[in-house]
Amino acid sequence: MRLSRYFLPVLKETPAEAQIVSHRYMLRAGMIKQNAAGIYSWLPLGFKVLRKLENIVHEEQMRAGHVPMLMPTLQSADLWKESGRFDAYGPEMLRFKDRQDRDMLYGPTNEEMITDIFRSHVGSYKDLPMTLYHIQWKFRDEMRPRFGVMRGREFLMKDGYNFDLTKEDAMHAYNRHLVSYLRTYERMGLHAIPMRADSGPIGGDDTHEFLVLAETGESEVFYDSAVTDLRFGDREIDYDSHADCAAVMEEFTSKYARTDETHEEALFNEVPEDRRRVARGIEVGQIFYFGTKYSEAMGATVQGPDGKVVPVHMGSHGIGVSRLLGAIIEASHDDKGIIWPEGVTPFHCGIVNLKQGDEEADAACQALYDSLTALGLEPLYDDRNERAGGKFATMDLIGLPWRITVGPRGLKNGVVELTSRRTGESEEMTPELAVERIAQIYKGLTVRGL
């Protein structure tokens, strides 16, 4: 993509309404524009990152054996009345009547709808286990939406639902989701810690939230500092193995890590004093096991191997896909702008032409662009007739991890400059070597968006 042809409405000044880093930089980098309180248009750069995050979530869900689908955003209230949640959910749920005077709602979640789909088509234990999921826009009418996409009213979420014959099988699904979430967040460059949490309006006794530590987090968290050393890494795991998934669950949740709703001071005091930490965290996902709460209320049953009809055991599992953009920026930025991790960057590198219109510089930039594109990478070529300082400021603001700078002086010596956004370190090298370095950096990481 050439920047002269791209829609990137960057702002020099920070809008007054932006209170936290991610909101400021998303507005300034031309990623979003507010349409109404807590509701945003996703401009091309923001939409590109959003799609990359969505693709990673899809890949890891399918790797774990979960099956994608799509349910509607608008729901009939009938199913919610059947489950008992229509009146119990609270004012965050947007309720309205259609032209036939039927009660409708803009879905905040989909437990009722997926249970109805399941009960309509599945009647035997032979069809279990089953996990269905989708990535879909939700709406929760927050009283005071703030912090940009971190606490908006409309948001993109992955929500998945498992159906199992027994509690043991359902807890395996719970563990399996924990493993897949660890992989998902690490691919995005995030360290998300699973913490014992409160189930809220979803219900159930077993639930963990995944939190990214950040000063701007909405949740107070208490944890053993040893949990911050844990990484899933590139290990392979058999998602069908109860023992393998349970072992990862034990490894990542045995040390104390809780949100303020479930914090127990006595248990926390058992952690060695030098490892006790109190901080703030951003919630980026949550997993639930709630047993037969919905299946009993809504008649989601199967015939077991003994011929008896039993309600299925269920759980739901969410990832806040649009919220992840804010969390990544909160965790990865400096005073110049965003610093995207390589796994989610909108463009793999920027190409800056220091003398647009110079025949040799233009040709070198075009050759770099063509070489990177031929390797399946997506460079952003700043071909505008702007001063070098303005081009560098734009690249720093939008946060591409790598920048190749091309100028007449360097080309006389046969070199360009490769710069790391994260460290600020630069190195001169031939254009061919710069392309090779970029290709090696992204080998095995590339996730293409729109």
Side-chain angles (χ1 to χ4, degrees):
M1 178 60 66
R2 291 174 176 264
L3 195 47
S4 62
R5 301 175 186 173
Y6 200 55
F7 181 55
L8 187 69
V10 298
L11 305 175
K12 291 184 178 179
E13 303 296 328
T14 299
E17 72 270 20
Q19 300 176 37
I20 63 172
V21 168
S22 59
H23 194 193
R24 291 199 298 268
Y25 283 154
M26 289 186 76
L27 289 170
R28 285 197 54 213
M31 298 180 72
I32 56 172
K33 184 182 185 304
Q34 182 170 300
N35 177 264
I39 302 174
Y40 295 89
S41 294
W42 289 80
L43 306 184
L45 191 73
F47 184 59
K48 194 168 180 62
V49 180
L50 188 68
R51 281 289 174 256
K52 289 202 169 187
L53 297 177
E54 185 178 349
N55 288 344
I56 290 174
V57 173
H58 271 303
E59 288 173 9
E60 293 304 328
Q61 286 299 296
M62 289 187 283
R63 185 198 299 265
H66 307 158
V67 182
M69 59 177 297
L70 183 62
M71 290 176 274
T73 56
L74 300 183
Q75 303 183 31
S76 166
D78 292 345
L79 294 173
W80 287 70
K81 291 175 180 177
E82 188 177 345
S83 73
R85 281 208 303 174
F86 184 66
D87 295 318
Y89 196 89
E92 291 78 22
M93 186 163 69
L94 182 62
R95 300 164 170 84
F96 62 97
K97 289 183 180 291
D98 67 10
R99 66 193 300 169
Q100 305 297 333
D101 202 38
R102 293 173 293 215
D103 287 324
M104 303 288 290
L105 58 100
Y106 193 134
T109 184
N110 283 72
E111 282 82 5
E112 284 79 3
M113 185 173 289
I114 195 70
T115 304
D116 179 56
I117 291 170
F118 177 88
R119 71 182 178 183
S120 299
H121 299 286
V122 180
S124 171
Y125 75 96
K126 295 179 181 179
D127 295 319
L128 305 180
M130 179 183 296
T131 295
L132 303 172
Y133 79 94
H134 69 161
I135 298 177
Q136 175 222 46
W137 290 96
K138 312 284 189 193
F139 188 89
R140 293 177 188 169
D141 200 4
E142 296 277 355
M143 176 73 76
R144 287 181 291 275
R146 52 186 179 156
F147 304 151
V149 300
M150 295 284 288
R151 191 158 186 170
R153 292 193 293 165
E154 185 183 56
F155 54 95
L156 187 65
M157 188 169 92
K158 170 262 161 183
D159 46 320
Y161 305 89
N162 65 281
F163 301 88
D164 290 278
L165 183 63
T166 65
K167 180 177 181 179
E168 178 186 358
D169 290 341
M171 290 310 297
H172 170 58
Y174 187 93
N175 297 344
R176 188 176 67 239
H177 277 84
L178 179 133
V179 175
S180 69
Y181 279 23
L182 292 172
R183 286 186 56 95
T184 298
Y185 297 129
E186 288 190 14
R187 282 187 61 186
M188 295 174 181
L190 284 172
H191 184 212
I193 302 170
M195 298 192 178
R196 176 68 65 178
D198 181 67
S199 61
I202 302 295
D205 297 325
D206 291 281
T207 181
H208 281 83
E209 284 182 7
F210 291 78
L211 292 108
V212 175
L213 299 177
E215 293 180 2
T216 50
E218 73 275 37
S219 302
E220 187 174 36
V221 297
F222 303 79
Y223 63 95
D224 180 338
S225 64
V227 302
T228 60
D229 297 327
L230 297 173
R231 296 292 187 278
F232 188 81
D234 59 0
R235 70 180 87 172
E236 291 296 327
I237 189 167
D238 180 1
Y239 279 107
D240 292 328
S241 168
H242 287 226
D244 285 1
C245 293
V248 176
M249 167 64 78
E250 173 68 17
E251 178 185 352
F252 280 83
T253 63
S254 58
K255 293 179 173 61
Y256 194 93
R258 296 191 177 209
T259 60
D260 52 357
E261 296 96 340
T262 60
H263 175 57
E264 293 186 29
E265 194 68 27
L267 286 177
F268 189 50
N269 288 337
E270 294 178 9
V271 177
E273 187 174 359
D274 64 328
R275 297 196 339 229
R276 288 180 217 153
R277 299 287 187 274
V278 181
R280 303 202 69 79
I282 300 167
E283 182 202 341
V284 291
Q286 191 163 4
I287 56 176
F288 302 86
Y289 163 71
F290 43 67
T292 59
K293 173 181 176 177
Y294 296 94
S295 56
E296 286 186 346
M298 299 182 66
T301 60
V302 294
Q303 188 176 54
D306 58 1
K308 294 182 180 179
V309 174
V310 294
V312 292
H313 288 253
M314 293 176 59
S316 68
H317 315 276
I319 290 179
V321 180
S322 54
R323 166 178 270 243
L324 278 167
L325 271 83
I328 291 170
I329 295 170
E330 291 293 329
S332 185
H333 68 271
D334 61 15
D335 58 1
K336 296 179 182 179
I338 302 163
I339 305 174
W340 291 115
E342 279 84 356
V344 299
T345 180
F347 295 94
H348 297 108
C349 75
I351 301 172
V352 173
N353 190 339
L354 293 181
K355 194 172 183 181
Q356 194 68 38
D358 178 87
E359 185 175 344
E360 188 177 6
D362 290 355
C365 287
Q366 186 62 51
L368 284 166
Y369 183 90
D370 291 342
S371 296
L372 290 165
T373 302
L375 293 171
L377 297 170
E378 297 176 285
L380 179 63
Y381 173 20
D382 191 344
D383 61 337
R384 300 172 299 162
N385 190 21
E386 297 277 348
R387 295 175 59 184
K391 291 187 175 188
F392 290 148
T394 296
M395 285 293 174
D396 285 342
L397 175 62
I398 66 176
L400 306 186
W402 297 92
R403 184 185 77 228
I404 302 175
T405 304
V406 180
R409 185 180 303 173
L411 289 176
K412 286 181 181 178
N413 298 318
V415 297
V416 296
E417 188 177 71
L418 180 63
T419 303
S420 165
R421 174 69 180 88
R422 187 168 298 280
T423 67
E425 295 177 356
S426 297
E427 184 180 353
E428 290 187 339
M429 60 188 70
T430 64
E432 294 77 14
L433 183 55
V435 170
E436 185 180 330
R437 286 276 186 91
I438 295 294
Q440 284 298 317
I441 288 166
Y442 288 102
K443 188 176 182 181
L445 284 179
T446 305
V447 178
R448 297 188 68 88
L450 294 182

